[in-house]
Amino acid sequence: MSEFFPGVPKISFGGPKSRNPLEFKHYNPAEVLDGKSMKEHLRFSVVYWHTFSNPLADPFGVGTALRPWDDGSHSVANAQRKAKVAFEFFEKLGVPFYAFHDRDIAPEGWTLKESHAHLDEVVKVLKDEQARTGVKLLWGTANLFSNPRYMHGAATSPNFDVFAFAAAQVKKAMEITHELGGAGYTFWGGREGYSTLLNTDMKRELDHLARFLHMAVAYKKQIGFAGTFYIEPKPKEPTKHQYDFDASACLNFLRTYDLLPHFKLNLETNHATLAGHEMMHELEVAIGAGALGSIDANTGDPLLGWDTDQFPTSVYLTTQCMLCILKMGGFTTGGVNFDAKVRRESFEPIDLFYAHIGGMDAFARGLKTARAILADGRLAAFVKERYRSWDCELGRRVEAGQAGFNDLESYILPKGDAAKNASGRQEMLENLVNEFL
Ligand code: XUL
Ligand code: CO
């Protein structure tokens, strides 16, 4: 089994005192917390695109990644070998899930028919490897942004043929996701947006995007795919303005077009920060709408203004994520999907292990810390207390939609002024969180 990563053992739990970079310090998959193992709580997933298909190029230089198993060809045989590499990696790392775009797993052909055939050849290997290892597909998706045909978008392209091509590509990607028993399918709006409004009929493009998604919903039903559909918000990059800007914009779009019952959100940290939000904000928006499905775990760099997709290492960040996820009651079909890539300077295969081990440990610590904060109860009690005045009779009637301005005026007039405000105690609460870190 050590064909592609010789010398890398199955990564085990060494405990916080371990100094072995190939051991987990905090992620102990079998450890049970509140009746669920850490493995079940976190549902870790590795992404195919960054980990196996990314050459680590940047706008100023070519790729640096050393991947000895890759012969550099666009052949099916190379892709099939890569599938074996991927599963050796998943197995050694001990992750239960992975995720892919169609074009990560198999090379695009000269025609759509040829591309479909390539996919079928690689899916056979993925299916065997899934059966051999027990590793499952968290979600599949279609790459509707790399090929130049998608320069103006896919479902929002002004070119009808491109819309049709995208539909056929998504149809096939859904079929293989279904065949591989995927727990979900993600729609990230690759180039669904605009670079200038001078050439754009925004309303028509949004209508087309909605039609596209309704057709996907109908096809899901037709083939009996029971996985969850996710929309992944991102505000910009590659276009100046992406239509799926943030969680709120996505929810508004889904509600407007009667799509909300069919979709949940897949939220990514670096997309949240590009939109000017904290990840916790995005999570709370989605949870409030009962629409949080899954997360793409990564982080940006505060000094760089683009989607750097770095591995999450901040325990403060993972604690915030896990506070939200635990309060929601945990994942159902979703998970913690590492949509993250190693730096261009970290070009050796072993760096892929170090990166994921660090991300998994950071989330394990986040899980434990969040659980301790919730068990302690002081934070939740403070928030509850902060809204206590609403627990009066009229407050309850307002919340139930049973009172109007007349009632509120009659209530407040005799008081002369509102009761005094209480302190928000931000610093005290920040200190409280730090007690647990
Ligand atoms: C791009 C991004 C995508 C989606 C899947 O920023 O996050 O990789 O996660 O298409
Ligand atoms: Co993503």
Side-chain angles (χ1 to χ4, degrees), residues 47 49-50 139 186 188 232 266-268 271 296 298 307 309 337 339:
V47 305
W49 53 99
H50 285 318
W139 47 260
T186 292
W188 168 60
E232 182 178 325
N266 178 40
L267 298 174
E268 177 166 326
H271 297 179
D296 272 9
N298 64 15
D307 194 14
D309 280 344
N337 183 48
D339 191 354

Side-chain angles (χ1 to χ4, degrees), residues 8 35 51 79 94-95 126 151 174 177 199 247 267 297 311 321 362 410 415:
V8 179
T51 301
V95 283
L126 295 174
M151 63 171 72
M174 284 173 61
T177 299
N199 66 12
L267 298 174
F311 277 83
C321 292
S410 320
K415 287 191 127 190

Side-chain angles (χ1 to χ4, degrees), residues 187-202:
F187 294 84
W188 168 60
R191 291 180 193 273
E192 315 296 21
Y194 60 81
S195 292
T196 172
L197 284 172
L198 294 176
N199 66 12
T200 304
D201 185 339
M202 195 200 283

